[in-house]
Amino acid sequence: MEGGKVLVRLNRYLSLCGVTSRRKADEHILQGRVKVNGITVKELGWRIDPERDVVEVDGREIKKPKYRYIILYKPCCYLTALGKSKDGKKTLQDLLKDIPERVYPAGRLDYNAEGLLLLTNDGELANRIMHPRYKLPKTYLVWVQGRVEGKTIESMKKGAMLEDGFAKPDKVKLIKHEKDKSLIEIVFHEGRKHIVKRFVSHFGHRVIKLKRVAIGPISLGKLRPGQWRDLKEEEVKKLKKLLGMEV
Ligand code: URA
């Protein structure tokens, strides 16, 4: 903050606007390709006021993008992808119509998994949602084959060595047994591929149904499969605050 204004480093601004990475932005600056208010800036670390300063790269004005933050209930049997799939499988594109911004999923769900996906064009937020360093908990409700015993839950709490390293949930809880299957709640703050399925199978149980019900403070709530909505301003603020971002 300077005189009540929030100043942002030029390289960071260019990366926030999706022009390029911060490192590449520094190269652009050193090459004299960046102007602020009509004047070429070659100083790394230069700060700008995004509300007032006009930034250009190669003569093209760079505008702060309008960010969208979307919560989607991905139904089972949709790919977490935005284009068309080669084999005719349905993708998120079939669900997200009328969104002009190029939003991307912050994390993925398997084809046969369902539940909460966050999509945004705010790259910084998306990175922080996905990166284990920021420890954002992702909560899953998982139906598994067989009766999961109390002692198995206790072992799960201690974690397990999987083929790509140790995995330890933040929380595991048995919700109920039903005939020969069990419903458990499991929370991981990391997003390694098939982490829940691989973790549960390490303990001899196969996942029958997997549903992500929350990412950090954001829950599916009343959304039905296939529905989406924009996050409320309050929800975005909460998320950013938790992830150590400026609000
Ligand atoms: N863990 C899984 O195994 N699959 C998912 O889709 C998400 C987490």
Side-chain angles (χ1 to χ4, degrees):
M1 292 267 272
E2 253 170 50
K5 294 181 291 192
V6 178
L7 299 183
V8 178
R9 280 171 77 111
L10 190 49
N11 64 353
R12 178 151 185 265
Y13 179 77
L14 293 177
S15 110
L16 287 174
C17 291
V19 175
T20 182
S21 67
R22 285 195 213 184
R23 195 180 55 76
K24 282 251 167 67
D26 278 340
E27 286 172 20
H28 288 11
I29 292 167
L30 291 173
Q31 288 160 358
R33 294 168 60 185
V34 182
K35 283 185 181 167
V36 177
N37 302 327
I39 295 164
T40 303
V41 169
K42 284 196 170 179
E43 194 182 308
L44 299 180
W46 188 271
R47 285 168 182 269
I48 60 141
D49 175 356
E51 298 306 320
R52 303 178 66 167
D53 292 330
V54 178
V55 178
E56 289 168 74
V57 175
D58 298 331
R60 182 170 63 90
E61 187 178 341
I62 307 303
K63 292 240 170 73
K64 230 170 65 183
K66 186 177 165 331
Y67 287 137
R68 284 292 287 268
Y69 304 95
I70 284 164
I71 172 174
L72 166 74
Y73 187 149
K74 181 188 102 64
C76 178
C77 306
Y78 276 76
L79 288 173
T80 306
L82 284 161
K84 285 251 166 272
S85 90
K86 285 188 199 111
D87 47 10
K89 285 188 174 135
K90 284 181 275 190
T91 72
L92 304 183
Q93 192 172 293
D94 296 296
L95 301 168
L96 295 166
K97 307 249 160 71
D98 309 322
I99 299 180
E101 292 84 6
R102 287 161 69 91
V103 293
Y104 294 94
R108 59 184 305 286
L109 281 171
D110 294 336
Y111 178 70
N112 59 1
E114 64 180 72
L116 200 165
L117 275 179
L118 293 176
L119 297 104
T120 181
N121 51 353
D122 180 343
E124 181 80 26
L125 185 80
N127 283 338
R128 290 185 188 216
I129 290 171
M130 290 185 284
H131 202 295
R133 174 147 70 101
Y134 295 97
K135 294 196 162 45
L136 192 67
K138 285 94 185 175
T139 306
Y140 302 88
L141 284 179
V142 194
W143 277 106
V144 304
Q145 193 71 52
R147 289 178 78 84
V148 179
E149 302 298 341
K151 62 178 191 315
T152 308
I153 295 284
E154 290 314 307
S155 307
M156 284 179 171
K157 285 182 183 165
K158 293 185 187 129
M161 186 55 84
L162 306 180
E163 68 265 33
D164 56 354
F166 194 67
K168 186 171 182 292
D170 302 316
K171 183 178 164 191
V172 194
K173 193 172 129 192
L174 175 68
I175 311 270
K176 62 176 171 180
H177 294 304
E178 231 175 56
K179 292 187 185 140
D180 191 28
K181 47 185 198 169
S182 314
L183 179 64
I184 60 175
E185 182 189 86
I186 189 159
V187 180
F188 275 104
H189 64 258
E190 57 159 309
R192 266 183 280 164
K193 211 168 179 191
H194 309 316
I195 185 83
V196 173
K197 288 179 186 162
R198 291 190 292 129
F199 183 79
V200 168
S201 109
H202 177 90
F203 293 91
H205 293 277
R206 187 177 61 81
V207 168
I208 305 169
K209 185 175 172 183
L210 191 155
K211 175 174 167 183
R212 183 154 64 205
V213 291
I215 295 183
I218 313 296
S219 323
L220 263 187
K222 292 202 172 81
L223 279 186
R224 307 292 309 146
Q227 288 182 333
W228 64 270
R229 65 171 174 84
D230 284 281
L231 287 184
K232 297 182 195 126
E233 213 177 304
E234 276 315 304
E235 292 175 310
V236 176
K237 275 190 186 160
K238 254 194 211 164
L239 201 50
K240 285 188 171 176
K241 226 168 158 187
L242 255 180
L243 294 170
M245 291 174 73
E246 283 161 24
V247 175

